[in-house]
Amino acid sequence: MSMRLVRRPRMRDAGMALVAVLWIVAALSLMLTGMTRSVRQEVRSATSARQAVEGRAAAEAAINLVLQQMAAKPGAVNRLMSIDVAFRGVSTTVQVFPMNGLIDLNSAQPPLLEALFAVAGGMPPAAAAAGAQAVVQWRTQRDSGGRTFGFDAPEDLMLVPGFTYDVYARIAQLVAAGQTSGGAVNPLCAPDGVLLVLAKGNAQVAERIAAARRTDAVGVDLTQLEASFIGSAVSRAYRLIANVPLPDGASMRFTQDVTFQAGPQSELPWRILQSGGVVALPPGATDRQ
């Protein structure tokens, strides 16, 4: 009678198999976690993109409504204004800045440019003076046809040697490119940041004028501003800024530069010069994702 021996698995083999299974489960769990996180990020990105598109559409609609109101009124707007507009249940504030309240990179004289770069741009005095001269040199260059370069848009400032994006970002909302009247600034139309430049950094003077302007006071005292920086010309070009709240607490800040000197082929009484929008994050947020 023969006997058959049955070999039992050794404990070591069973332990190795268990370890292998656990590693596989852990790897699959990591893959699943990564995929879940990726899907969530994609959903958040898509949601953010959709909200940004909707916010821009609402901002453009609000600006168009304000432009229609401006076109219906005779004469030019000669003061800074804030207009509340309701569109599809969303209340939007549209700020209107006549371009003669901004600093024109194409015609501002070196002392005004120097004050702009020092006060608003945060450049040291020597660098601000050199920057002003560099801007004048850049805009007066001539191409092969004998035409001066000039600035087509404020962002062209970054083409000038010595200027960084940080400086441009600080002054972008305070400057224009060729749409103001001469090289001077009308303080009644100027943003608060430009008032500070006109006051050469004196915050008390700038705030006093801004407060008087908000109350529509007659005969605002401008004597403490640099006289050579000030002008009173009227402009038919405007910068409109709409701030639209987004569902997650952020907001869409949309800017549009327009002129009421429409082109011959235009069906509207105004012509868009440039536009752009940026999403402003809520306080404490660092990432839309």
Side-chain angles (χ1 to χ4, degrees):
M1 177 177 178
S2 63
M3 297 181 62
R4 184 174 60 182
L5 297 177
V6 178
R7 183 181 180 184
R8 295 181 179 180
R10 290 180 299 178
M11 294 297 295
R12 182 179 177 183
D13 294 340
M16 292 298 294
L18 178 59
V19 170
V21 171
L22 291 176
W23 272 107
I24 293 173
V25 171
L28 291 174
S29 298
L30 289 174
M31 292 175 59
L32 180 60
T33 300
M35 291 177 63
T36 302
R37 182 176 300 174
S38 177
V39 170
R40 287 177 178 172
Q41 289 178 343
E42 291 295 332
V43 171
R44 290 174 181 171
S45 296
T47 301
S48 297
R50 177 179 58 78
Q51 291 179 0
V53 171
E54 292 176 349
R56 175 170 178 144
E60 289 187 273
I63 286 177
N64 283 335
L65 290 173
V66 171
L67 288 172
Q68 290 175 10
Q69 296 177 19
M70 294 170 62
K73 295 180 180 179
V77 174
N78 57 8
R79 276 180 179 255
L80 182 152
M81 299 191 309
S82 290
I83 303 173
D84 292 328
V85 179
F87 179 73
R88 291 189 175 182
V90 178
S91 180
T92 302
T93 299
V94 178
Q95 296 175 298
V96 181
F97 299 91
M99 287 286 201
N100 57 348
L102 303 175
I103 298 172
D104 188 0
L105 293 174
N106 281 320
S107 59
Q109 296 303 306
L112 178 54
L113 292 172
E114 183 177 343
L116 169 67
F117 300 145
V119 175
M123 299 175 68
Q133 295 299 327
V135 166
V136 173
Q137 183 178 4
W138 174 271
R139 74 191 186 193
T140 54
Q141 292 183 83
R142 295 186 179 275
D143 59 19
S144 57
R147 294 168 296 186
T148 55
F149 274 21
F151 293 90
D152 294 323
E155 52 265 31
D156 289 348
L157 182 66
M158 290 184 288
L159 298 174
V160 180
F163 283 91
T164 63
Y165 177 80
D166 288 341
V167 173
Y168 165 74
R170 295 188 191 106
I171 68 173
Q173 298 300 319
L174 311 181
V175 298
Q179 295 299 323
T180 66
S181 299
V185 177
N186 185 340
L188 298 180
C189 305
D192 291 350
V194 173
L195 283 180
L196 189 60
V197 172
L198 301 180
K200 289 189 172 181
N202 191 323
Q204 292 182 339
V205 171
E207 176 54 32
R208 176 184 59 78
I209 295 174
R213 188 177 59 183
R214 285 193 293 269
T215 61
D216 293 328
V218 178
V220 178
D221 182 11
L222 305 175
T223 56
Q224 290 183 281
L225 299 182
E226 176 59 44
S228 62
F229 297 168
I230 298 175
S232 57
V234 176
S235 175
R236 290 290 286 168
Y238 304 92
R239 174 167 295 166
L240 294 92
I241 302 177
N243 289 283
V244 178
L246 300 178
D248 60 357
S251 62
M252 164 61 70
R253 179 184 174 92
F254 184 76
T255 302
Q256 191 170 86
D257 292 352
V258 303
T259 177
F260 276 87
Q261 297 174 344
Q265 304 299 323
S266 176
E267 297 180 358
L268 297 172
W270 63 82
R271 176 165 52 92
I272 298 175
L273 303 174
Q274 63 177 6
S275 60
V278 61
V279 174
L281 298 175
T286 58
D287 194 343
R288 292 275 300 185
Q289 305 303 319

